[in-house]
Amino acid sequence: MDWGTLQDVLGGVNKHSTSIGKIWLTVLFIFRIMILVVAAERVWGDEQQDFVCNTLQPGCKNVCYDHFFPISHIRLWALQLIFVSTPALLVAMHVAYRRHEMKRRFRHGEKIDIEELKNERIHIRGPLWWTYASSIFFRIIFEAVFMYIFYYMYDGYQMPRLMKCSDWPCPNIVDCFVSRPTEKTTFTIFMLAVSGICMVLNLAELCYLVIKVCMKEPRKTT
Amino acid sequence: MNWAGLYTVLSGVNRHSTAIGRIWLSVIFIFRIMVLVVAAESVWGDEKSAFTCNTQQPGCNSVCYDHFFPISHIRLWALQLILVTTPALLVAMHVAYQQHQEKKLLMLTGHADAKHMEEVKKHKMRISGSLWWTYVCSVVFRLLFEAVFMYIFYMLYPGYQMMRLVKCEAYPCPNTVDCFISRPTEKTIFTVFMLVTSSICIVLNMAELIYLVVRACARRSHHNSNPSSGKSSFYGHKHSSEYKQNEINQLLTEQDGSLKDMLRRNSGLQEKGDRCSAC
């Protein structure tokens, strides 16, 4: 079970999304997951091995690394991507349930929208609208929470070159040097920018859904 | 055979599960197996190479590592996930057996053509009778395995928290030696995460068990209050109305393959024919 399998699972959801939803999914897979797997994992690959402290005291390096990096950027991004993509599964489950209901009603001879069943595309209305809107809302919440966690843990997204550590068993204050700080800063800003774009897309999709419903209401009343 | 292979095997079982069972399977694959493969394995990847002891005594490092980590978290989680997902295969085997029985019955009643055989393979089994007992057993075993592994974790690594420093006195380490663990905070975060998802899975399994029991009791009381709707045999009842309807549908599609024609004729036939009992 890896990113490829997640892509297969979410690819199915794509069919029932709005156009903005499809763009969001593409941005997620190409600019975030792919960049994570293909580039970012290499950059952070030697983060602990090449974290060097100016001391011979055994254990000082481990302790200082643990103090400055409670959870690595890579793992945080992986968790963020998993959490952000799973609300789409709520929609997939609701669509599957609706299709099952439509088939059941068809068998019992009730009138249903044949075009919908034939084209395998379900219109986003009724309870499905609420499920879809909730999934977008949760996506936005998770993105915001993880961006806050990043900011809280790593004060300002920039990776410093040098960190000063005085945890036991390090004697007095010890200088520790981070490996590839500029490259890490570049990728952090890139992932942050793409995360921002995804949030904007989600907000736009939410607005679009709300406006679509509001437009339908006056037409129904007139 | 890897996690993807397990995913393929278990996706087949998904069709015959309850809704809660499907949610449980999604939680297992996305929040446990995927997090294990994509994140946790790299956190524990350098656990032995970055385990540093404050000594130059050869062998002390290895001995202390072995003393404090008899079995790594990653391996325990992998075993837990394999054992927890495999009871679902009991259900898959039972379903396969029932499908085999249905095919035999079809052959005896003279409906043994390819289309009916396909229909047997495709339709969703109702969880009743002996399949209900198999399903309930599989859920009970899942619960048992989850609980056992959580207990093993607690016994081996009391408190779930990973210490930064452990003091080791095993031979050949001289006196007491300080040993430092790599990435303890990250490991603690992931241990807590896996523990929380494990608890969520336990809750889902218990909910599924209660749901199955309540459904069976409701069905039994409905049965007792309405004895005229009693079914003869499990297979007999299923086949008489369901396959008759399926046969009608198949005949329609043979004559004219379009969906619209099927709809036109179906609406006329529904007045005469039986209702599909597989719905």
Side-chain angles (χ1 to χ4, degrees), chain A residues 1 3 5 9 47-48 57-59 62-63 65-67 70 72 75 78 86 89 106-108 167-169, chain B residues 3 7 29-30 33-34 38 42-43 50 52 54 164-165 178 180 182-186 190 263 270 275 279:
Chain A
M1 187 75 193
W3 296 116
T5 325
V9 169
E47 57 176 333
Q48 197 175 271
Q57 171 65 45
N62 283 15
V63 160
Y65 177 82
D66 184 61
H67 181 257
S72 168
R75 257 74 67 181
T86 27
L89 294 177
F106 171 67
R107 274 188 234 215
H108 291 181
D167 290 355
W168 189 89
Chain B
W3 294 116
Y7 177 71
F29 276 109
I30 296 177
I33 294 180
M34 194 162 164
V38 152
S42 43
V43 176
T52 320
N54 187 4
R164 267 187 185 179
L165 160 74
D178 289 336
F180 300 90
S182 118
R183 311 179 207 250
T185 312
E186 205 165 358
F190 276 97
L263 170 70
Q270 274 294 351
R275 288 163 68 99
C279 314

Side-chain angles (χ1 to χ4, degrees), chain A residues 24-219:
Chain A
W24 172 82
L25 210 67
T26 312
V27 168
L28 189 81
F29 276 109
I30 298 180
F31 293 101
R32 293 175 81 179
I33 295 180
M34 193 165 162
I35 296 283
L36 185 80
V37 168
V38 153
E41 278 184 355
R42 307 267 166 86
V43 175
W44 269 267
D46 59 2
E47 57 176 333
Q48 197 175 271
Q49 273 161 263
D50 284 355
F51 183 77
V52 170
C53 289
N54 186 6
T55 179
L56 288 176
Q57 171 65 45
C60 177
K61 188 181 104 152
N62 283 15
V63 160
C64 291
Y65 177 82
D66 184 61
H67 181 257
F68 289 109
F69 301 106
I71 176 167
S72 168
H73 289 65
I74 292 281
R75 257 74 67 181
L76 265 180
W77 284 324
L79 283 175
Q80 180 179 15
L81 290 167
I82 291 172
F83 274 95
V84 153
S85 30
T86 27
L89 294 177
L90 280 176
V91 177
M93 286 194 271
H94 194 141
V95 165
Y97 168 74
R98 231 218 220 166
R99 187 171 289 139
H100 177 77
E101 284 294 299
M102 281 171 91
K103 281 186 181 161
R104 201 170 58 87
R105 288 188 313 181
F106 171 67
R107 274 188 234 215
H108 291 181
E110 289 177 35
K111 294 261 179 282
I112 55 152
D113 189 351
I114 296 304
E115 290 307 312
E116 241 184 75
L117 192 59
K118 221 163 67 155
N119 294 339
E120 295 193 353
R121 195 206 144 103
I122 309 267
H123 290 300
I124 301 173
R125 52 171 178 245
L128 183 60
W129 186 93
W130 286 102
T131 307
Y132 198 87
S134 310
S135 81
I136 298 177
F137 180 72
F138 277 116
R139 275 187 226 161
I140 296 173
I141 295 279
F142 287 140
E143 292 271 21
V145 163
F146 274 92
M147 279 170 80
Y148 177 71
I149 289 174
F150 257 104
Y151 185 76
Y152 179 75
M153 276 191 185
Y154 298 110
D155 289 322
Y157 306 111
Q158 172 144 23
M159 188 68 78
R161 274 183 182 177
L162 161 73
M163 295 169 160
K164 291 190 183 285
C165 176
S166 53
D167 290 355
W168 189 89
C170 304
N172 309 306
I173 299 179
V174 160
D175 289 338
C176 292
F177 300 89
V178 177
S179 116
R180 312 180 206 246
T182 314
E183 203 167 0
K184 286 179 180 173
T185 307
T186 309
F187 274 97
T188 306
I189 292 175
F190 179 88
M191 294 295 267
L192 174 70
V194 179
S195 192
I197 291 171
C198 285
M199 269 183 84
V200 166
L201 283 170
N202 284 329
L203 285 167
E205 196 175 5
L206 204 57
C207 293
Y208 168 74
L209 284 173
V210 168
I211 289 171
K212 209 167 80 159
V213 160
C214 294
M215 297 282 275
K216 239 183 255 174
E217 289 299 312
R219 222 180 285 156

Side-chain angles (χ1 to χ4, degrees), chain B residues 223-239:
Chain B
H223 222 66
N224 290 340
S225 63
N226 196 2
S228 59
S229 72
K231 43 190 182 186
S232 42
S233 78
F234 176 69
Y235 298 115
H237 171 74
K238 256 182 117 5
H239 288 287

Side-chain angles (χ1 to χ4, degrees), chain B residues 156-202:
Chain B
L156 284 175
Y157 304 110
Y160 304 110
Q161 175 150 17
M162 189 67 78
M163 308 305 293
R164 267 187 185 179
L165 160 74
V166 288
K167 290 186 184 289
C168 176
E169 291 168 340
Y171 175 81
C173 304
N175 309 306
T176 306
V177 160
D178 289 336
C179 291
F180 300 90
I181 293 172
S182 118
R183 311 179 207 250
T185 312
E186 205 165 358
K187 287 179 180 174
T188 306
I189 291 172
F190 276 97
T191 306
V192 169
F193 181 88
M194 295 295 265
L195 173 70
V196 165
T197 45
S198 192
S199 316
I200 291 172
C201 286
I202 289 178

